[in-house]
Amino acid sequence: MIDRFVWQRFGVCLVLIPILTGLFWILMTAVMALPDAPIKEHILEDVTLLNTDYEAAFNGRRIDLFTECIGVTAGMAPLLPNEPRAVTVPIWIGCDPMQRGLARQEASENISAQVYHRYWHGYAVPGRVLLSALPYADVRGVVFLATSWLMIWLAVRLSRLAGAGFTAAFFLPFLFVNFAGPLMLLTKAVAWWVLLGVSVWLAGKKRDHTRLPLVTFFLCGALTAYTDFLTTPALNAAIPAMVWWVAWRDNTEQPLGDLFWLMSFFALGYVGLWAAKFILAAAILGPSVWADIGAAASLRLRGGDTSSWPLMATLKNIEAFKALWGPLTIITFGILPFATRERRARARMLWREGKVFLLIALTPILFMEILSGHAQVHGFFTHVNFLPLLIVSSLILFGEQAMVTRLPLPEHPDPHI
């Protein structure tokens, strides 16, 4: 039976949906009203950083400049000039059309551009402000500093909460997945700022652990819908949920039920705010929007040149680890955590007593399988959905599995804290 607290928070979130819709639109309208000229100048100043759709990053992994070129110029393409750019968001599709569009080397109607109304494009809120003041290369510097600072802050809070060993095990898998995007690219980083910021809040010691943070997860879902470019949105539910479980596990009487409500409230925020954007777009552009949305959804589910076989998205994303990181990941997280009798005993303990944590880790993979068409094509960045499952293996490897079970823990998990 649903208790009164859940109903109250559900009512609060329903009221928040139209409020957030208005706020999100106001923010987008405000930044779209900023002059394009300084932004154009600052992009062209460092346009060599955006010369190709995909290229190698500092760690040898590919980064998604195709999406970055769309994102940094969102709203600047000369389509539907009399319509509100906050809703229609005209864009150039890819880096070459973006450069030609900015340089005006040919008539605008011959440049690949379209209305991209399906997303909120909330990354443009900090993006257009930053690009109004800084060259694109410096914006990358801001992205790196902000993402790194949030990760360090989360690491400090996790250390205080669960110990230095747990924190090391938690962050080790970040080195194995393609984390270059959130460290370099504006369009990848802003949704990660939401993920990391919510996780930092949940890891704080002065939280009320007697009440489920339902509104927090709702807001996380709403902000994910606003900022994420369909990269890895399920991580924005899974990583904060992992942090919640570490902080709250001793204060929850119905762990599976509590997890269900947290994920449901995240979904309410995510789906609710995305649906609100669809409704806004349809109100501005007309009912033909719904056919476009349906076609796009079909493509991302099972469309295009992708396989309809079950688990194909998972296989394609395993392939995305490539020749170096694939074997290293399999050895480090697939073999070493189970190589000795003691480690296998740790794994059995986690299976028996930490099913909630394991279920959280599987959520992004399930989401990836649902959006199989999208995940098969974009495995070089969607494979980051394996990160929570790799964290589970890393905890077994480090001997920190007890921190995510319901078993009693020592008073001081780390004697140095």
Side-chain angles (χ1 to χ4, degrees):
M1 185 174 180
I2 304 174
D3 64 27
R4 184 178 177 183
F5 174 76
V6 174
W7 279 119
Q8 288 175 340
R9 294 302 184 268
F10 180 72
V12 168
C13 293
L14 287 181
V15 171
L16 283 174
I17 288 177
I19 294 173
L20 290 174
T21 300
L23 176 61
F24 287 177
W25 192 3
I26 289 169
L27 288 172
M28 281 294 293
T29 301
V31 297
M32 288 298 173
L34 295 172
D36 286 343
I39 297 172
K40 171 184 173 180
E41 178 183 343
H42 287 143
I43 293 172
L44 290 175
E45 182 175 338
D46 295 313
V47 77
T48 54
L49 296 174
L50 297 166
N51 270 340
T52 182
D53 289 337
Y54 308 100
E55 69 175 22
F58 61 90
N59 59 354
R61 313 298 283 273
R62 280 201 304 165
I63 53 173
D64 181 14
L65 292 177
F66 178 88
T67 302
E68 185 78 345
C69 289
I70 292 174
V72 295
T73 56
M76 295 175 66
L79 288 176
L80 300 177
N82 296 321
E83 303 286 5
R85 291 196 295 170
V87 173
T88 56
V89 196
I91 61 163
W92 291 293
I93 302 295
C95 294
D96 179 64
M98 179 212 73
Q99 291 193 31
R100 289 187 288 114
L102 289 179
R104 294 293 190 271
Q105 293 176 354
E106 56 181 273
S108 60
E109 61 267 24
N110 294 325
I111 299 172
S112 178
Q114 64 176 252
V115 169
Y116 216 6
H117 59 267
R118 293 188 298 267
Y119 297 89
W120 274 105
H121 302 279
Y123 54 81
V125 173
R128 283 182 65 86
V129 172
L130 289 169
L131 284 167
S132 294
L134 298 171
Y136 175 70
D138 288 343
V139 172
R140 280 198 180 181
V142 172
V143 166
F144 177 81
L145 290 172
T147 305
S148 301
W149 177 73
L150 284 168
M151 289 187 69
I152 292 169
W153 193 5
L154 177 58
V156 170
R157 285 205 161 179
L158 281 179
S159 293
R160 292 172 179 170
L161 183 66
F166 177 91
T167 304
F170 190 90
F171 280 103
L172 176 64
F174 283 72
L175 299 176
F176 289 76
V177 300
N178 190 356
F179 192 63
L183 287 170
M184 297 177 65
L185 306 180
L186 177 75
T187 49
K188 304 297 181 188
V190 180
W192 273 85
W193 296 349
V194 174
L195 178 161
L196 293 169
V198 171
S199 298
V200 166
W201 191 92
L202 291 169
K205 296 185 70 173
K206 294 182 179 180
R207 302 279 78 83
D208 177 6
H209 291 186
T210 64
R211 295 288 192 180
L212 283 176
L214 298 176
V215 176
T216 298
F217 273 77
F218 166 82
L219 292 173
C220 184
L223 288 169
T224 300
Y226 193 51
T227 59
D228 184 72
F229 218 167
L230 201 59
T231 304
T232 50
L235 280 185
N236 283 43
I239 299 296
M242 284 183 152
V243 175
W244 159 79
W245 178 244
V246 174
W248 262 263
R249 67 189 184 282
D250 293 333
N251 298 86
T252 174
E253 297 179 359
Q254 298 178 316
L256 286 174
D258 289 348
L259 175 62
F260 170 80
W261 288 120
L262 290 177
M263 292 301 191
S264 296
F265 272 72
F266 177 92
L268 177 63
Y270 183 70
V271 175
L273 268 297
W274 210 341
K277 182 58 165 68
F278 292 163
I279 293 169
L280 275 176
I284 298 296
L285 302 177
S288 61
V289 160
W290 295 109
D292 178 77
I293 290 168
S298 176
L299 179 66
R300 282 153 180 77
L301 290 169
R302 288 291 186 275
D305 257 346
T306 59
S307 172
S308 59
W309 286 92
L311 300 180
M312 189 55 66
T314 299
L315 292 174
K316 290 287 186 181
N317 279 258
I318 290 173
E319 288 179 8
F321 281 92
K322 299 298 184 183
L324 172 64
W325 293 104
L328 284 176
T329 302
I330 290 171
I331 292 169
T332 306
F333 301 107
I335 297 176
L336 292 181
F338 311 97
T340 66
R341 181 179 298 177
E342 179 186 357
R343 291 174 186 171
R344 290 192 292 273
R346 296 175 192 168
R348 288 193 293 271
M349 176 200 295
L350 194 147
W351 172 255
R352 289 193 307 267
E353 306 294 340
K355 286 188 176 68
V356 170
F357 198 78
L358 183 59
L359 186 59
I360 294 170
L362 293 173
T363 302
I365 299 175
L366 175 62
F367 185 88
M368 188 170 66
E369 281 296 325
I370 293 172
L371 270 69
S372 181
H374 179 265
Q376 289 181 51
V377 173
H378 299 296
F380 72 98
F381 63 74
T382 60
H383 78 273
V384 180
N385 282 304
F386 288 116
L387 179 61
L389 192 60
L390 298 182
I391 289 173
V392 172
S393 290
S394 187
L395 294 176
I396 296 169
L397 180 64
F398 275 68
E400 295 290 334
Q401 75 291 334
M403 294 303 302
V404 297
T405 69
R406 301 273 285 176
L407 297 174
L409 297 170
E411 285 189 25
H412 302 287
D414 189 329
H416 301 292
I417 295 177

